[in-house]
Amino acid sequence: MIVGTIFGSLYLLGALVGWGVFTATQGAHEGNDPQTAMLLVGAGVLLALLWWILPIFASGTDATLDPDHLAPYPLKTKDIQLGQLLGGLIGLPGLATVLFSAVTALLLWRHPVSLVVYVLMIPLGLALVLTISRIISLLAIEISSIPGVKQGLIIVGFLLMMGAGPLVAGLALGLGEAWDALPSAMKVLSWTPLGAPFAVASAVYMGHWGKALLFLVLSLIYLALSWVIWTKLLNRAMSRIGEIGGTTASKQVEAGNTGIFKHFPASPRGALAARTVHMLVKDPRCNLNIIMIPAFYVLFTLFGRVSIGEESTGNPVLLAMAAVFVPALAGYVYSYLISYENSAFSMNVLAPVSGKDDRWGRAWGLLVLMGPLIIFGSLFLSWRFDNFASLPAIMGLGVGQLLCGVGLSAFVDMLISVPVPPPGGSPFKTPKQSDGFSKGLIRGLIMLVLMAFAIPGGILWIVYSSTSSPLWMWLSGAVSLLIGAIVFFIGLTVGAARYDAHSAETLQRVSQFR
């Protein structure tokens, strides 16, 4: 949590410095520059969009100020509203909002009257933005109570976060091409809740006092209507505490229909494999691991295009990184499996399930899902990087790294349990731990060790690239598969022995994740 806040603060500081330099330079222009007026409205529109879109995907990730948590306290609706408004300005997002608004004022540093008007309008603008944001949050909570919708929003939000870099770069390029159309768009948005409060200072800057008064009146009307809607929705939410997001009626299941379990042998190992598949597909905390693998394959090609243009499809560095890193990450998911089970892992300990059945059953279930993804991902990389000649090496590295990841994790997760969100929790929320930082460093070292297993196959692939002899390419794939098989069998064997001796200790560790 502390590390994330530090890095987030550094990113915020860099963005604010960049924006501050730009606004100060732009504000140095003499006279009434239409581009400055457009930027005043555009900055407000961007701020509003961020506050109104993010709650759709982030509902439930931090429920501190949600009605369910505030219901036990003797608070009136008005008190809750004021608290939630002020709460929106606390933390990194709130600080970023206030500082961004303050830095935007540098656009007007040579126009004192417009600057004063802008500063006076900041509280009104932020109040409108946060009020509508809370309305959207309440609606999102109700909508996300539908399991399918909630999971869909989580997946979309996860993919947007993963693709933030290419998306921002693409938007920047698109913005540059559509720059001439922005003034007309901002004029239209100035009459909407998105831009009305920020258009007041823009109109004063351009000398249009009549328009400025209209924008002010319009902003007050928008705020009053939003407040009334928010009040009604909040009263409704407070009267329905416990209904939203509650358990649904159990589904009727046909007698003898055991679902995914009927496709696996009726043995401890088969049951564990089936349970692993079921958990990875059905559990909202887990299935992002499945989506993550193809998303990373796509992301590597997108980053290549963004960073170095059309030549990126043939970039050998990006190809090698994708061929090694993504399969290693897929195999490393094994180390999370017991943590996701949390206290339910006690069933295995009390049964008792042997270490051999546990290790091999989980590996079977994970490989059923990850194996095809790595194989198709290797084909995708060969196609996107226009390098089908290296397919045996790419495929061998991919499958080998997947096996290495499973084997190494089968032993490591008996030594250290990876923290995950508790059952029913948001997939983006990590349990608080006193040793979270040290465990993060250890996991990073494990990933380095894991990718080091790809070095022999990688060297042979480089030799093939230098000599163009197919023998080296096939040797690269074969060596990678051999190393993967060795690490896989040794890891599962040693992990099984460790499981038999220390499964109770593992249960104690994972049961603490809350």
Side-chain angles (χ1 to χ4, degrees):
M1 183 69 178
I2 295 176
V3 176
T5 302
I6 292 173
F7 277 104
S9 301
L10 292 175
Y11 283 127
L12 170 61
L13 181 62
L16 287 173
V17 169
W19 178 240
V21 171
F22 174 76
T23 52
T25 305
Q26 181 67 29
H29 293 167
E30 296 183 1
N32 299 330
D33 183 16
Q35 182 167 297
T36 300
M38 177 196 71
L39 288 171
L40 281 169
V41 179
V45 169
L46 176 62
L47 200 62
L49 284 174
L50 289 174
W51 271 100
W52 298 352
I53 291 175
L54 291 179
I56 298 174
F57 304 104
S59 63
T61 56
D62 184 6
T64 307
L65 297 176
D66 284 352
D68 279 352
H69 286 243
L70 298 175
Y73 302 98
L75 297 173
K76 297 178 181 179
T77 302
K78 183 181 178 181
D79 297 330
I80 294 175
Q81 289 176 288
L82 291 175
Q84 289 182 333
L85 271 183
L86 294 175
L89 299 177
I90 296 173
L92 203 56
L95 179 63
T97 299
V98 174
L99 291 178
F100 178 79
S101 302
V103 171
T104 303
L106 293 175
L107 288 166
L108 302 170
W109 66 272
R110 294 189 59 141
H111 300 78
V113 176
S114 302
L115 179 60
V116 170
V117 172
Y118 175 79
V119 171
L120 292 174
M121 289 304 299
I122 286 178
L124 176 61
L126 294 184
L128 179 58
V129 167
L130 293 174
T131 299
I132 297 179
S133 177
R134 295 309 306 183
I135 292 173
I136 294 171
S137 294
L138 286 170
L139 294 174
I141 290 172
E142 290 205 30
I143 293 172
S144 63
S145 64
I146 305 171
V149 174
K150 180 178 181 179
Q151 187 58 22
L153 291 174
I154 289 174
I155 290 171
V156 172
F158 177 71
L159 293 175
L160 288 175
M161 284 194 298
M162 286 190 65
L167 281 174
V168 170
L171 287 173
L173 291 173
L175 191 63
E177 295 176 0
W179 186 260
D180 294 336
L182 283 179
S184 299
M186 291 304 111
K187 287 179 181 178
V188 173
L189 293 174
S190 295
W191 299 95
T192 69
L194 280 164
F198 310 97
V200 177
S202 177
V204 171
Y205 171 80
M206 295 300 294
H208 302 151
W209 286 90
K211 268 189 176 181
L213 183 59
L214 282 175
F215 288 139
L216 175 59
V217 172
L218 200 57
S219 300
L220 292 171
I221 293 173
Y222 285 142
L223 180 58
L225 289 173
S226 302
W227 192 273
V228 170
I229 294 171
W230 182 19
T231 303
K232 290 185 178 295
L233 287 175
L234 188 57
N235 284 330
R236 180 170 178 267
M238 296 294 286
S239 66
R240 298 176 62 203
I241 296 298
E243 293 181 22
I244 299 176
T247 56
T248 56
S250 57
K251 191 165 57 175
Q252 293 293 327
V253 179
E254 182 183 351
N257 182 9
T258 55
I260 187 68
F261 289 85
K262 67 183 179 183
H263 300 291
F264 290 84
S267 63
R269 196 172 300 187
L272 271 164
R275 194 170 80 187
T276 299
V277 172
H278 184 272
M279 181 175 65
L280 287 171
V281 173
K282 294 291 186 180
D283 193 326
R285 301 169 302 150
C286 304
N287 53 22
L288 293 183
N289 293 307
I290 305 298
I291 298 164
M292 170 182 66
I293 301 307
F296 263 122
Y297 278 126
V298 173
L299 202 59
F300 268 100
T301 60
L302 289 179
F303 266 124
R305 285 173 178 263
V306 170
S307 60
I308 54 176
E310 294 298 328
E311 296 282 331
S312 63
T313 53
N315 188 308
V317 176
L318 287 174
L319 176 59
M321 287 177 62
V324 173
F325 173 74
V326 182
L329 199 61
Y332 192 64
V333 171
Y334 187 103
S335 63
Y336 291 79
L337 296 180
I338 289 180
S339 298
Y340 279 125
E341 290 183 9
N342 202 260
S343 57
F345 178 60
S346 60
M347 293 188 297
N348 292 34
V349 178
L350 297 174
V353 174
S354 70
K356 194 171 183 180
D357 285 336
D358 183 273
R359 301 290 85 184
W360 282 90
R362 294 180 193 278
W364 182 2
L366 183 66
L367 292 176
V368 163
L369 294 174
M370 293 299 188
L373 290 179
I374 298 305
I375 291 172
F376 284 112
S378 300
L379 290 169
F380 175 76
L381 287 177
S382 301
W383 168 60
R384 289 297 294 158
F385 284 86
D386 194 22
N387 201 343
F388 274 109
S390 296
L391 180 59
I394 296 171
M395 190 77 72
L397 272 172
V399 177
Q401 280 291 284
L402 175 62
L403 294 174
C404 284
V406 172
L408 187 61
S409 299
F411 170 68
V412 168
D413 78 333
M414 289 290 102
L415 299 174
I416 176 174
S417 297
V418 182
V420 297
S426 166
F428 302 112
K429 195 169 186 177
T430 303
K432 295 180 180 179
Q433 290 193 109
S434 58
D435 58 349
F437 181 71
S438 60
K439 284 186 177 179
L441 289 177
I442 293 172
R443 292 199 300 273
L445 290 174
I446 292 170
M447 280 298 295
L448 289 176
V449 171
L450 179 54
M451 288 189 286
F453 288 123
I455 292 175
I459 292 174
L460 292 172
W461 188 9
I462 292 173
V463 173
Y464 159 71
S465 300
S466 302
T467 63
S468 298
S469 172
L471 174 64
W472 296 106
M473 174 196 51
W474 287 98
L475 279 175
S476 171
V479 168
S480 298
L481 284 174
L482 180 61
I483 293 174
I486 292 172
V487 175
F488 179 80
F489 282 103
I490 292 177
L492 263 65
T493 301
V494 178
R498 177 80 185 179
Y499 178 97
D500 289 331
H502 299 280
S503 58
E505 295 174 16
T506 304
L507 172 61
Q508 186 177 9
R509 287 198 305 268
V510 299
S511 297
Q512 295 174 356
F513 297 149
R514 294 285 186 269

